[in-house]
Amino acid sequence: MLILKMTLLVLCSVLAAVPLGNMIFRLAGIKNESAASMYVAGIISSMAIYEVVYLFLVFRYESLSKTTFIWGAEMLLFIVAGIVTGIVYGKKNKSMHDRLLDYFADIRVHHVIAVGVCVAYIIFTLVYQREYTDDSLFVGMASTAYSTDTLIRFSPFTGKQIELSYVAKYILSGYHAYMASVSAIFGVQPVVMMHNVLPVIIIAMHYIVCYRLARVILKNKKSADYAIIFLTIIDLFSMYNKFELTTSAWLFTGPWYGKSIIGNVIIPVLWYYLIRIMDEDGNAKPAKRMWGLVAVVHIAAALISTYGSIASATVTLCITIYYMIKNRRLSYALGFILSSAPSIALMSFMLYMQHMGVKW
Amino acid sequence: MMHEFFSQLGITYGYYFGYGFLALLLVAGAICIIYAGTDIQKRILVALPVCVIVLTLLNPVYYKLAGLTADYTYARSYWNVPFFLILACMWAALVRKAGKSKGIGISVVMVFMILLWGYGLGSVNSEHNLFYVRDNIYRVPQNTVDIADMITNDCDGEPVVYAPADICRFMRTYDADIKLVYHDWWKELSIDYGTYSVDDEELIVNYQTVYDFINADEINYKAIMQLQKLTGWNYVVLKEDSGQSVMQTEYGLVRLGTVDGYNIYKNVY
């Protein structure tokens, strides 16, 4: 039964994320993205929507079920809109069916190997898992929210009642509550979801984003497939490494940890979107609305961890400065300011709390 | 400040690249891309990462600002550049440029180098038991799962458990309905520190004493029972050799069972 629920969860993540991603891409003015890209954008958008709902409710000590309900209703709205626009676009553009057929007809051996090694990596991660004490905080927070129907009201360690300031460092990031909400919808314990379902989703997202970025850089499907095969080899060998601060090590050690999602999904996604926006040879889109997509990633990063909002703003700033100088376009600065506003606001709030003497 | 900055830069480099094999491969790859890559490859695989590194890792102002937010922010600045993807793309670009036979040669050399980086020169992480299959779908130690199940099946109300550190650690990740007297990772107690008067005796309560009562080689049965009056624990888990312990004979607790050498007692009073 549990296996069935977990399979259903993975399946539903695809069924919900693809239309949601489609809707988000439409809003950003992008029409011809692949279903895999839509999936990544959809999952990230679901996180961003959750963060917005969470921030409004956490300081009012609202219940998890209320948060889940509001988030679920918003998600449903976007998903339905995504499906409707998908159908309308499909009717208008008959080549979509042909494109799907072309995709399957175009599958080559190197593509099958690339997908195969990624699947092997996912299986390896699922079978072999390290016991890591961080779980008592990150999984503990999700389990506590799930069991007590609260966002943050009880300590994940002993279960005693706490004030928000007790976990000041974590209150702005609703990742644990997001996990608890998804678990509650499917009736699966957060510990089961985070250890068994999330690695499948996160590792898949990691390789999809890397593949898309490799396609932009190498401008060739075959080379991008090779890059993914090589990347998996590097990821596999980094498991043995004692230098735990590599992103690959975290991809194996705990794909369910916020820091792993930031390093392996959010930052590569930012690279991909920002290069798509600003690099003229990287299929750059003139649509200013694409900065909105970057803003969505920033909000999702804030949901995942405090560090996420810092890292996403830093990466965006660095890449923007590079292209501002290279393309001699000052207008990118406006894009940076608008898209990074959520991260900057959260960082400022965090620093303000520190300044006010909240224990960090 | 500059000394601290350079020292941190070195430490962080060590954490990310270790003995420097991958850094070496990246530099070699960058040289090859500058020599033989396309414009976009030069831009994204070389110029952009260098720009990000200069603006963050090699920037003392950034180091200072990062330190304001969290102590690990600077250490994780290597994550701002997807180095491994960049290396993989360099590799793929060179293989394509070199043709089939040379490409295979390059790949073999690269795999060998990565193998050296990951597995060789004493960098194997032998002190961590990396590769073992967990006993259950929760990925929580089996004894913790069994003890938690035994307690929740027995308890009608709210279970409050006092147990050794290795049992407490993942208990609430598995079942957050169980409350704990303390937790070793966050060094958290369910009651305030202080000196309490129990049965006309003084009991000093702080993290270390509460930890030692149950985790020391000599279990302090009396203090555990005194703590019961303060924290209201209704289940206690003890690592004991004997089946019949002081808890049953002297304090009248009921033994629920034994799991993996741990006796689980219920306070029925």
Side-chain angles (χ1 to χ4, degrees), chain B residues 73-101:
Chain B
T73 305
Y74 180 76
R76 289 184 191 160
S77 295
Y78 278 95
W79 298 10
N80 294 341
V81 180
F83 281 114
F84 296 165
L85 174 63
I86 285 173
L87 182 62
C89 285
M90 284 172 173
W91 187 351
L94 291 175
V95 166
R96 187 175 162 75
K97 192 93 184 165
K100 201 173 179 180
S101 54

PDB file of all heavy atoms in Angstrom, chain B residues 73-101:
ATOM      1  N   THR B  73      27.732  30.366   4.829  1.00  0.00           N
ATOM      2  CA  THR B  73      27.417  30.936   3.512  1.00  0.00           C
ATOM      3  C   THR B  73      28.659  31.030   2.631  1.00  0.00           C
ATOM      4  O   THR B  73      28.622  30.651   1.461  1.00  0.00           O
ATOM      5  CB  THR B  73      26.782  32.340   3.664  1.00  0.00           C
ATOM      6  OG1 THR B  73      25.664  32.219   4.524  1.00  0.00           O
ATOM      7  CG2 THR B  73      26.339  32.900   2.339  1.00  0.00           C
ATOM      8  N   TYR B  74      29.753  31.509   3.213  1.00  0.00           N
ATOM      9  CA  TYR B  74      30.969  31.647   2.392  1.00  0.00           C
ATOM     10  C   TYR B  74      31.501  30.269   1.998  1.00  0.00           C
ATOM     11  O   TYR B  74      31.913  30.056   0.857  1.00  0.00           O
ATOM     12  CB  TYR B  74      32.039  32.433   3.148  1.00  0.00           C
ATOM     13  CG  TYR B  74      33.302  32.596   2.329  1.00  0.00           C
ATOM     14  CD1 TYR B  74      33.347  33.518   1.291  1.00  0.00           C
ATOM     15  CD2 TYR B  74      34.423  31.809   2.574  1.00  0.00           C
ATOM     16  CE1 TYR B  74      34.482  33.652   0.508  1.00  0.00           C
ATOM     17  CE2 TYR B  74      35.556  31.943   1.796  1.00  0.00           C
ATOM     18  CZ  TYR B  74      35.589  32.862   0.767  1.00  0.00           C
ATOM     19  OH  TYR B  74      36.700  32.981  -0.010  1.00  0.00           O
ATOM     20  N   ALA B  75      31.469  29.333   2.955  1.00  0.00           N
ATOM     21  CA  ALA B  75      31.995  27.989   2.676  1.00  0.00           C
ATOM     22  C   ALA B  75      31.244  27.317   1.529  1.00  0.00           C
ATOM     23  O   ALA B  75      31.800  26.507   0.799  1.00  0.00           O
ATOM     24  CB  ALA B  75      31.906  27.132   3.930  1.00  0.00           C
ATOM     25  N   ARG B  76      29.979  27.672   1.385  1.00  0.00           N
ATOM     26  CA  ARG B  76      29.193  27.050   0.308  1.00  0.00           C
ATOM     27  C   ARG B  76      29.211  27.870  -0.982  1.00  0.00           C
ATOM     28  O   ARG B  76      28.436  27.598  -1.894  1.00  0.00           O
ATOM     29  CB  ARG B  76      27.746  26.870   0.764  1.00  0.00           C
ATOM     30  CG  ARG B  76      27.592  25.795   1.812  1.00  0.00           C
ATOM     31  CD  ARG B  76      26.133  25.609   2.143  1.00  0.00           C
ATOM     32  NE  ARG B  76      25.969  24.774   3.317  1.00  0.00           N
ATOM     33  CZ  ARG B  76      24.877  24.742   4.051  1.00  0.00           C
ATOM     34  NH1 ARG B  76      23.857  25.489   3.729  1.00  0.00           N
ATOM     35  NH2 ARG B  76      24.798  23.959   5.103  1.00  0.00           N
ATOM     36  N   SER B  77      30.083  28.868  -1.041  1.00  0.00           N
ATOM     37  CA  SER B  77      30.100  29.726  -2.227  1.00  0.00           C
ATOM     38  C   SER B  77      30.561  28.984  -3.477  1.00  0.00           C
ATOM     39  O   SER B  77      30.283  29.428  -4.589  1.00  0.00           O
ATOM     40  CB  SER B  77      30.990  30.943  -1.986  1.00  0.00           C
ATOM     41  OG  SER B  77      30.432  31.724  -0.970  1.00  0.00           O
ATOM     42  N   TYR B  78      31.264  27.870  -3.292  1.00  0.00           N
ATOM     43  CA  TYR B  78      31.653  27.065  -4.460  1.00  0.00           C
ATOM     44  C   TYR B  78      30.426  26.539  -5.195  1.00  0.00           C
ATOM     45  O   TYR B  78      30.490  26.216  -6.365  1.00  0.00           O
ATOM     46  CB  TYR B  78      32.543  25.894  -4.033  1.00  0.00           C
ATOM     47  CG  TYR B  78      33.996  26.286  -3.865  1.00  0.00           C
ATOM     48  CD1 TYR B  78      34.511  26.623  -2.640  1.00  0.00           C
ATOM     49  CD2 TYR B  78      34.845  26.309  -4.968  1.00  0.00           C
ATOM     50  CE1 TYR B  78      35.833  26.989  -2.492  1.00  0.00           C
ATOM     51  CE2 TYR B  78      36.175  26.674  -4.838  1.00  0.00           C
ATOM     52  CZ  TYR B  78      36.664  27.011  -3.593  1.00  0.00           C
ATOM     53  OH  TYR B  78      37.976  27.370  -3.464  1.00  0.00           O
ATOM     54  N   TRP B  79      29.325  26.433  -4.473  1.00  0.00           N
ATOM     55  CA  TRP B  79      28.096  25.918  -5.088  1.00  0.00           C
ATOM     56  C   TRP B  79      27.514  26.899  -6.087  1.00  0.00           C
ATOM     57  O   TRP B  79      26.651  26.526  -6.879  1.00  0.00           O
ATOM     58  CB  TRP B  79      27.048  25.615  -4.021  1.00  0.00           C
ATOM     59  CG  TRP B  79      27.447  24.560  -3.048  1.00  0.00           C
ATOM     60  CD1 TRP B  79      28.685  23.987  -2.906  1.00  0.00           C
ATOM     61  CD2 TRP B  79      26.625  23.940  -2.057  1.00  0.00           C
ATOM     62  NE1 TRP B  79      28.673  23.061  -1.893  1.00  0.00           N
ATOM     63  CE2 TRP B  79      27.419  23.014  -1.349  1.00  0.00           C
ATOM     64  CE3 TRP B  79      25.290  24.082  -1.692  1.00  0.00           C
ATOM     65  CZ2 TRP B  79      26.923  22.240  -0.318  1.00  0.00           C
ATOM     66  CZ3 TRP B  79      24.799  23.309  -0.676  1.00  0.00           C
ATOM     67  CH2 TRP B  79      25.599  22.394   0.008  1.00  0.00           C
ATOM     68  N   ASN B  80      27.952  28.165  -6.017  1.00  0.00           N
ATOM     69  CA  ASN B  80      27.399  29.160  -6.935  1.00  0.00           C
ATOM     70  C   ASN B  80      27.766  28.877  -8.388  1.00  0.00           C
ATOM     71  O   ASN B  80      27.166  29.432  -9.298  1.00  0.00           O
ATOM     72  CB  ASN B  80      27.894  30.564  -6.564  1.00  0.00           C
ATOM     73  CG  ASN B  80      27.360  31.016  -5.225  1.00  0.00           C
ATOM     74  OD1 ASN B  80      26.371  30.461  -4.743  1.00  0.00           O
ATOM     75  ND2 ASN B  80      28.002  31.989  -4.604  1.00  0.00           N
ATOM     76  N   VAL B  81      28.776  28.054  -8.584  1.00  0.00           N
ATOM     77  CA  VAL B  81      29.167  27.656  -9.944  1.00  0.00           C
ATOM     78  C   VAL B  81      28.967  26.141 -10.043  1.00  0.00           C
ATOM     79  O   VAL B  81      29.516  25.401  -9.233  1.00  0.00           O
ATOM     80  CB  VAL B  81      30.656  27.989 -10.216  1.00  0.00           C
ATOM     81  CG1 VAL B  81      31.052  27.561 -11.625  1.00  0.00           C
ATOM     82  CG2 VAL B  81      30.917  29.465 -10.010  1.00  0.00           C
ATOM     83  N   PRO B  82      28.186  25.678 -11.015  1.00  0.00           N
ATOM     84  CA  PRO B  82      28.014  24.218 -11.144  1.00  0.00           C
ATOM     85  C   PRO B  82      29.265  23.572 -11.767  1.00  0.00           C
ATOM     86  O   PRO B  82      29.284  23.213 -12.941  1.00  0.00           O
ATOM     87  CB  PRO B  82      26.784  24.068 -12.040  1.00  0.00           C
ATOM     88  CG  PRO B  82      26.663  25.339 -12.779  1.00  0.00           C
ATOM     89  CD  PRO B  82      27.348  26.411 -11.986  1.00  0.00           C
ATOM     90  N   PHE B  83      30.325  23.465 -10.952  1.00  0.00           N
ATOM     91  CA  PHE B  83      31.630  23.031 -11.461  1.00  0.00           C
ATOM     92  C   PHE B  83      31.583  21.663 -12.159  1.00  0.00           C
ATOM     93  O   PHE B  83      32.227  21.460 -13.181  1.00  0.00           O
ATOM     94  CB  PHE B  83      32.643  22.955 -10.310  1.00  0.00           C
ATOM     95  CG  PHE B  83      33.189  24.291  -9.915  1.00  0.00           C
ATOM     96  CD1 PHE B  83      32.924  24.829  -8.669  1.00  0.00           C
ATOM     97  CD2 PHE B  83      33.970  25.024 -10.794  1.00  0.00           C
ATOM     98  CE1 PHE B  83      33.420  26.058  -8.296  1.00  0.00           C
ATOM     99  CE2 PHE B  83      34.475  26.266 -10.428  1.00  0.00           C
ATOM    100  CZ  PHE B  83      34.196  26.782  -9.180  1.00  0.00           C
ATOM    101  N   PHE B  84      30.851  20.742 -11.554  1.00  0.00           N
ATOM    102  CA  PHE B  84      30.861  19.387 -12.116  1.00  0.00           C
ATOM    103  C   PHE B  84      30.167  19.329 -13.477  1.00  0.00           C
ATOM    104  O   PHE B  84      30.594  18.602 -14.369  1.00  0.00           O
ATOM    105  CB  PHE B  84      30.219  18.393 -11.136  1.00  0.00           C
ATOM    106  CG  PHE B  84      30.994  18.259  -9.842  1.00  0.00           C
ATOM    107  CD1 PHE B  84      30.435  17.675  -8.727  1.00  0.00           C
ATOM    108  CD2 PHE B  84      32.304  18.705  -9.741  1.00  0.00           C
ATOM    109  CE1 PHE B  84      31.136  17.541  -7.532  1.00  0.00           C
ATOM    110  CE2 PHE B  84      33.026  18.594  -8.567  1.00  0.00           C
ATOM    111  CZ  PHE B  84      32.444  18.014  -7.464  1.00  0.00           C
ATOM    112  N   LEU B  85      29.114  20.124 -13.627  1.00  0.00           N
ATOM    113  CA  LEU B  85      28.446  20.183 -14.929  1.00  0.00           C
ATOM    114  C   LEU B  85      29.378  20.845 -15.945  1.00  0.00           C
ATOM    115  O   LEU B  85      29.475  20.401 -17.095  1.00  0.00           O
ATOM    116  CB  LEU B  85      27.127  20.974 -14.816  1.00  0.00           C
ATOM    117  CG  LEU B  85      26.421  21.219 -16.145  1.00  0.00           C
ATOM    118  CD1 LEU B  85      25.988  19.921 -16.788  1.00  0.00           C
ATOM    119  CD2 LEU B  85      25.214  22.133 -15.964  1.00  0.00           C
ATOM    120  N   ILE B  86      30.078  21.875 -15.497  1.00  0.00           N
ATOM    121  CA  ILE B  86      31.014  22.570 -16.395  1.00  0.00           C
ATOM    122  C   ILE B  86      32.109  21.612 -16.857  1.00  0.00           C
ATOM    123  O   ILE B  86      32.442  21.544 -18.046  1.00  0.00           O
ATOM    124  CB  ILE B  86      31.591  23.817 -15.679  1.00  0.00           C
ATOM    125  CG1 ILE B  86      30.507  24.904 -15.648  1.00  0.00           C
ATOM    126  CG2 ILE B  86      32.865  24.334 -16.349  1.00  0.00           C
ATOM    127  CD1 ILE B  86      30.851  26.111 -14.837  1.00  0.00           C
ATOM    128  N   LEU B  87      32.625  20.824 -15.896  1.00  0.00           N
ATOM    129  CA  LEU B  87      33.649  19.848 -16.254  1.00  0.00           C
ATOM    130  C   LEU B  87      33.098  18.816 -17.245  1.00  0.00           C
ATOM    131  O   LEU B  87      33.758  18.479 -18.235  1.00  0.00           O
ATOM    132  CB  LEU B  87      34.163  19.153 -14.977  1.00  0.00           C
ATOM    133  CG  LEU B  87      35.278  18.142 -15.174  1.00  0.00           C
ATOM    134  CD1 LEU B  87      36.527  18.782 -15.751  1.00  0.00           C
ATOM    135  CD2 LEU B  87      35.621  17.455 -13.849  1.00  0.00           C
ATOM    136  N   ALA B  88      31.875  18.358 -16.982  1.00  0.00           N
ATOM    137  CA  ALA B  88      31.255  17.369 -17.880  1.00  0.00           C
ATOM    138  C   ALA B  88      31.052  17.960 -19.278  1.00  0.00           C
ATOM    139  O   ALA B  88      31.270  17.278 -20.288  1.00  0.00           O
ATOM    140  CB  ALA B  88      29.933  16.899 -17.287  1.00  0.00           C
ATOM    141  N   CYS B  89      30.649  19.232 -19.337  1.00  0.00           N
ATOM    142  CA  CYS B  89      30.446  19.884 -20.640  1.00  0.00           C
ATOM    143  C   CYS B  89      31.780  20.064 -21.372  1.00  0.00           C
ATOM    144  O   CYS B  89      31.859  19.876 -22.595  1.00  0.00           O
ATOM    145  CB  CYS B  89      29.759  21.240 -20.465  1.00  0.00           C
ATOM    146  SG  CYS B  89      28.019  21.107 -20.093  1.00  0.00           S
ATOM    147  N   MET B  90      32.822  20.424 -20.618  1.00  0.00           N
ATOM    148  CA  MET B  90      34.164  20.554 -21.234  1.00  0.00           C
ATOM    149  C   MET B  90      34.580  19.219 -21.835  1.00  0.00           C
ATOM    150  O   MET B  90      35.068  19.141 -22.963  1.00  0.00           O
ATOM    151  CB  MET B  90      35.190  20.962 -20.172  1.00  0.00           C
ATOM    152  CG  MET B  90      35.128  22.405 -19.753  1.00  0.00           C
ATOM    153  SD  MET B  90      36.238  22.647 -18.352  1.00  0.00           S
ATOM    154  CE  MET B  90      36.168  24.413 -18.156  1.00  0.00           C
ATOM    155  N   TRP B  91      34.383  18.202 -21.052  1.00  0.00           N
ATOM    156  CA  TRP B  91      34.729  16.837 -21.450  1.00  0.00           C
ATOM    157  C   TRP B  91      33.987  16.462 -22.746  1.00  0.00           C
ATOM    158  O   TRP B  91      34.592  15.993 -23.721  1.00  0.00           O
ATOM    159  CB  TRP B  91      34.328  15.940 -20.282  1.00  0.00           C
ATOM    160  CG  TRP B  91      34.698  14.494 -20.327  1.00  0.00           C
ATOM    161  CD1 TRP B  91      35.227  13.789 -21.359  1.00  0.00           C
ATOM    162  CD2 TRP B  91      34.548  13.564 -19.251  1.00  0.00           C
ATOM    163  NE1 TRP B  91      35.408  12.497 -20.989  1.00  0.00           N
ATOM    164  CE2 TRP B  91      34.995  12.328 -19.712  1.00  0.00           C
ATOM    165  CE3 TRP B  91      34.064  13.665 -17.943  1.00  0.00           C
ATOM    166  CZ2 TRP B  91      34.979  11.174 -18.914  1.00  0.00           C
ATOM    167  CZ3 TRP B  91      34.052  12.529 -17.152  1.00  0.00           C
ATOM    168  CH2 TRP B  91      34.506  11.302 -17.616  1.00  0.00           C
ATOM    169  N   ALA B  92      32.645  16.705 -22.730  1.00  0.00           N
ATOM    170  CA  ALA B  92      31.831  16.360 -23.898  1.00  0.00           C
ATOM    171  C   ALA B  92      32.261  17.171 -25.125  1.00  0.00           C
ATOM    172  O   ALA B  92      32.326  16.645 -26.244  1.00  0.00           O
ATOM    173  CB  ALA B  92      30.362  16.599 -23.586  1.00  0.00           C
ATOM    174  N   ALA B  93      32.571  18.457 -24.907  1.00  0.00           N
ATOM    175  CA  ALA B  93      32.979  19.318 -26.024  1.00  0.00           C
ATOM    176  C   ALA B  93      34.296  18.823 -26.629  1.00  0.00           C
ATOM    177  O   ALA B  93      34.466  18.793 -27.853  1.00  0.00           O
ATOM    178  CB  ALA B  93      33.130  20.755 -25.535  1.00  0.00           C
ATOM    179  N   LEU B  94      35.210  18.416 -25.751  1.00  0.00           N
ATOM    180  CA  LEU B  94      36.509  17.938 -26.245  1.00  0.00           C
ATOM    181  C   LEU B  94      36.382  16.614 -26.979  1.00  0.00           C
ATOM    182  O   LEU B  94      37.034  16.394 -27.999  1.00  0.00           O
ATOM    183  CB  LEU B  94      37.494  17.809 -25.074  1.00  0.00           C
ATOM    184  CG  LEU B  94      37.939  19.131 -24.454  1.00  0.00           C
ATOM    185  CD1 LEU B  94      38.806  18.889 -23.229  1.00  0.00           C
ATOM    186  CD2 LEU B  94      38.698  19.977 -25.471  1.00  0.00           C
ATOM    187  N   VAL B  95      35.531  15.731 -26.443  1.00  0.00           N
ATOM    188  CA  VAL B  95      35.313  14.432 -27.099  1.00  0.00           C
ATOM    189  C   VAL B  95      34.754  14.656 -28.501  1.00  0.00           C
ATOM    190  O   VAL B  95      35.176  14.022 -29.471  1.00  0.00           O
ATOM    191  CB  VAL B  95      34.370  13.548 -26.244  1.00  0.00           C
ATOM    192  CG1 VAL B  95      33.855  12.362 -27.039  1.00  0.00           C
ATOM    193  CG2 VAL B  95      35.086  13.065 -24.990  1.00  0.00           C
ATOM    194  N   ARG B  96      33.807  15.569 -28.616  1.00  0.00           N
ATOM    195  CA  ARG B  96      33.194  15.867 -29.919  1.00  0.00           C
ATOM    196  C   ARG B  96      34.235  16.451 -30.877  1.00  0.00           C
ATOM    197  O   ARG B  96      34.288  16.092 -32.049  1.00  0.00           O
ATOM    198  CB  ARG B  96      32.043  16.853 -29.726  1.00  0.00           C
ATOM    199  CG  ARG B  96      31.244  17.087 -30.975  1.00  0.00           C
ATOM    200  CD  ARG B  96      30.046  17.981 -30.682  1.00  0.00           C
ATOM    201  NE  ARG B  96      29.509  18.557 -31.884  1.00  0.00           N
ATOM    202  CZ  ARG B  96      28.776  17.902 -32.774  1.00  0.00           C
ATOM    203  NH1 ARG B  96      28.500  16.626 -32.596  1.00  0.00           N
ATOM    204  NH2 ARG B  96      28.319  18.521 -33.842  1.00  0.00           N
ATOM    205  N   LYS B  97      35.049  17.336 -30.344  1.00  0.00           N
ATOM    206  CA  LYS B  97      36.068  17.995 -31.166  1.00  0.00           C
ATOM    207  C   LYS B  97      37.135  16.983 -31.626  1.00  0.00           C
ATOM    208  O   LYS B  97      37.635  17.066 -32.743  1.00  0.00           O
ATOM    209  CB  LYS B  97      36.719  19.105 -30.317  1.00  0.00           C
ATOM    210  CG  LYS B  97      37.586  20.055 -31.091  1.00  0.00           C
ATOM    211  CD  LYS B  97      36.781  21.265 -31.532  1.00  0.00           C
ATOM    212  CE  LYS B  97      37.628  22.178 -32.397  1.00  0.00           C
ATOM    213  NZ  LYS B  97      36.832  23.137 -33.124  1.00  0.00           N
ATOM    214  N   ALA B  98      37.462  16.051 -30.731  1.00  0.00           N
ATOM    215  CA  ALA B  98      38.578  15.143 -31.004  1.00  0.00           C
ATOM    216  C   ALA B  98      38.223  14.004 -31.957  1.00  0.00           C
ATOM    217  O   ALA B  98      39.105  13.369 -32.517  1.00  0.00           O
ATOM    218  CB  ALA B  98      39.084  14.576 -29.685  1.00  0.00           C
ATOM    219  N   GLY B  99      36.936  13.712 -32.101  1.00  0.00           N
ATOM    220  CA  GLY B  99      36.559  12.579 -32.933  1.00  0.00           C
ATOM    221  C   GLY B  99      36.476  11.306 -32.106  1.00  0.00           C
ATOM    222  O   GLY B  99      36.836  11.285 -30.929  1.00  0.00           O
ATOM    223  N   LYS B 100      36.041  10.214 -32.749  1.00  0.00           N
ATOM    224  CA  LYS B 100      35.677   9.002 -32.010  1.00  0.00           C
ATOM    225  C   LYS B 100      36.857   8.371 -31.260  1.00  0.00           C
ATOM    226  O   LYS B 100      36.803   8.168 -30.046  1.00  0.00           O
ATOM    227  CB  LYS B 100      35.062   7.992 -32.962  1.00  0.00           C
ATOM    228  CG  LYS B 100      34.213   6.955 -32.242  1.00  0.00           C
ATOM    229  CD  LYS B 100      33.492   6.066 -33.236  1.00  0.00           C
ATOM    230  CE  LYS B 100      32.661   5.029 -32.502  1.00  0.00           C
ATOM    231  NZ  LYS B 100      31.959   4.157 -33.425  1.00  0.00           N
ATOM    232  N   SER B 101      37.955   8.073 -31.986  1.00  0.00           N
ATOM    233  CA  SER B 101      39.041   7.310 -31.349  1.00  0.00           C
ATOM    234  C   SER B 101      39.749   8.125 -30.261  1.00  0.00           C
ATOM    235  O   SER B 101      39.978   7.644 -29.160  1.00  0.00           O
ATOM    236  CB  SER B 101      40.049   6.847 -32.403  1.00  0.00           C
ATOM    237  OG  SER B 101      40.487   7.958 -33.141  1.00  0.00           O
TER     238      SER B 101
END
